[in-house]
Amino acid sequence: MNRTRTVALALAGAAALGVALGGAAFAQSSGPATLVASFDHQVTGVAVAQDGRRFVNFPRWTDDAPISVAEVLPNGSLKPYPDANWNSWRNVRAGELSVADHFVCVQSIVPDNQGHLWVVDAGAPGNERILEGAPKLVRIDLATNTVSKVIPVAADVALQGTYLNDIRFSPDGRTAYITDSGTRGAIIVIDLDSGRGFRALDGHPSTQVEKSVKVTLDGKPLVRPDGRQPMFASDGIAISNDGKTLYYQALTGKTLYAIDTARLRPDVSETDRAAGVRRVATTHVADGLWMSKAGVLYLTSPTDYSITRLVKDHTETVLTDRRLRWPDTFSEGPDGRIYVTASHIQDTQWFTPGAPPSIRTQLFSFSPKR
């Protein structure tokens, strides 16, 4: 921590302004993973555009973060993205600004291959009750840095108890697949042209918490003060490069599943859909999944500070770095370098009584294992 602050103090004045706005400090460091930036608030998502620009997001879980989506500038400072207005909603000012055209609780950000950055707004501050009209997908044109489309997620798709988590796209950019990591568990499918969506595998065992799985860190159960452990359903998601196979896993689980995307069309019955689910591998507690351009499926392994990759029917460790306190979400740069956020879930007020609402988090990168 002291080393990071020392590096931050050596940055130019613009970086210092970034710390004031959202807490980014740009740095490099040795080790299995390279430290890219540090933040004063809990980060979850990362996205790297084809031109190399890097973006991060900050959900409103235990902290009313001053920025929801930000571009990480070359000097490490944060710039609200696409602008300050979209990032101006606050918990303390709820009711003053429309939840339909402001970021409320952004969980993830992912670029498509059509020149857009998509923002997944779960619309549920504190990971609790959904605010009416808040769940949405926001499409930002990366060439103009402006919002070009907003798709509200209907109330019969984003049910109370739903938490829109991560998103992947069909290669043609017309369909989105979103994990619901909330109390029901499902894969939400959205037609990006019409905006219509539906819940697939809603309540199916593959999208649910595995009750036998206990989340542990350093040999100890990760539990809240009242004894509850993390109970998150379908969370990590990845799509094959040809768009034909969707992979997903519950965070509180150790089974990686897959389904052909052809079974996720609206004209397929739930019976046929369920019949198409297959077990890929027994894995480990995993938060984020990423299919690299080289066709390698990476998984975060928060309980042992690691990144793994899928090799046939099992995983193998790519790197372990104690600074990866809850490796969360992946993205890939145009040079093939993989980026991953460390969201420090174990350091939040949920699991560490007396912790401040704001916590220090990081963005790392690593060279993929060949």
Side-chain angles (χ1 to χ4, degrees):
M1 184 69 72
N2 289 338
R3 181 181 180 184
T4 301
R5 291 187 180 278
T6 299
V7 173
L9 289 172
L11 298 174
L17 176 61
V19 172
L21 288 175
F26 186 75
Q28 298 287 332
S29 64
S30 60
T34 298
L35 178 65
V36 175
S38 295
F39 313 106
D40 286 338
H41 300 276
Q42 187 174 23
V43 69
T44 52
V46 56
V48 185
Q50 283 305 301
D51 62 5
R53 285 189 294 164
R54 293 167 292 192
F55 304 87
V56 290
N57 74 264
F58 305 92
R60 288 189 169 89
W61 283 354
T62 59
D63 179 22
D64 196 3
I67 301 177
S68 290
V69 180
E71 181 175 357
V72 182
L73 299 179
N75 62 12
S77 61
L78 291 180
K79 178 182 178 182
Y81 195 79
D83 55 40
N85 183 58
W86 267 95
N87 285 273
S88 61
W89 194 90
R90 298 287 183 274
N91 289 342
V92 294
R93 294 171 54 195
E96 294 183 22
L97 295 174
S98 167
V99 298
D101 50 13
H102 294 85
F103 298 136
V104 174
C105 185
V106 173
Q107 175 59 26
S108 57
I109 50 174
V110 179
D112 60 18
N113 60 6
Q114 315 291 318
H116 308 119
L117 179 70
W118 286 87
V119 178
V120 178
D121 189 346
N127 202 352
E128 295 179 348
R129 185 173 180 80
I130 289 174
L131 303 185
E132 184 177 357
K136 56 188 173 292
L137 305 182
V138 179
R139 188 182 73 186
I140 303 170
D141 188 321
L142 287 164
T144 63
N145 301 316
T146 57
V147 171
S148 55
K149 191 169 190 176
V150 178
I151 300 177
V153 182
D156 62 349
V157 177
L159 310 169
Q160 281 298 341
T162 288
Y163 191 80
L164 303 178
N165 199 294
D166 209 350
I167 188 170
R168 296 295 181 264
F169 304 98
S170 60
D172 63 8
R174 300 182 65 181
T175 306
Y177 306 97
I178 307 167
T179 45
D180 175 357
S181 62
T183 56
R184 292 271 298 255
I187 303 297
I188 292 173
V189 184
I190 305 286
D191 181 308
L192 297 177
D193 292 331
S194 68
R196 290 190 294 270
F198 65 93
R199 299 176 64 83
L201 302 173
D202 186 357
H204 186 270
S206 68
T207 60
Q208 304 305 295
V209 166
E210 295 180 26
K211 294 182 180 179
S212 63
V213 171
K214 306 299 180 185
V215 181
T216 61
L217 277 165
D218 300 323
K220 299 178 181 179
L222 180 65
V223 295
R224 299 189 185 203
D226 61 5
R228 289 181 296 158
Q229 72 151 346
M231 299 292 282
F232 297 109
S234 50
D235 192 312
I237 188 171
I239 192 167
S240 61
N241 289 328
D242 62 8
K244 294 180 178 181
T245 306
L246 193 74
Y247 299 88
Y248 58 96
Q249 178 174 327
L251 191 157
T252 310
K254 294 184 178 181
T255 309
L256 177 68
Y257 293 94
I259 187 171
D260 293 344
T261 53
R263 301 239 187 185
L264 295 173
R265 295 194 305 259
D267 58 345
V268 176
S269 72
E270 275 298 303
T271 299
D272 289 345
R273 195 171 285 135
V277 172
R278 57 188 183 274
R279 293 173 178 261
V280 177
T282 297
T283 58
H284 46 73
V285 171
D287 198 332
L289 306 181
W290 184 260
M291 181 65 71
S292 74
K293 297 169 188 173
V296 177
L297 182 64
Y298 291 93
L299 304 86
T300 66
S301 183
T303 63
D304 61 359
Y305 313 90
S306 297
I307 306 298
T308 70
R309 68 174 184 172
L310 182 68
V311 180
K312 296 182 179 179
D313 62 351
H314 65 280
T315 61
E316 68 175 27
T317 300
V318 173
L319 66 89
T320 299
D321 192 320
R322 296 286 296 190
R323 297 172 301 166
L324 290 174
R325 293 187 65 79
W326 206 276
D328 196 312
T329 304
F330 291 112
S331 191
E332 185 172 356
D335 59 355
R337 195 164 182 83
I338 307 293
Y339 291 76
V340 61
T341 55
S343 64
H344 289 241
I345 287 177
Q346 65 266 51
D347 300 324
T348 65
Q349 294 175 330
W350 285 349
F351 301 107
T352 303
S358 297
I359 58 174
R360 194 78 169 164
T361 60
Q362 296 84 26
L363 172 65
F364 292 91
S365 68
F366 64 93
S367 295
K369 187 174 182 180
R370 303 298 179 185

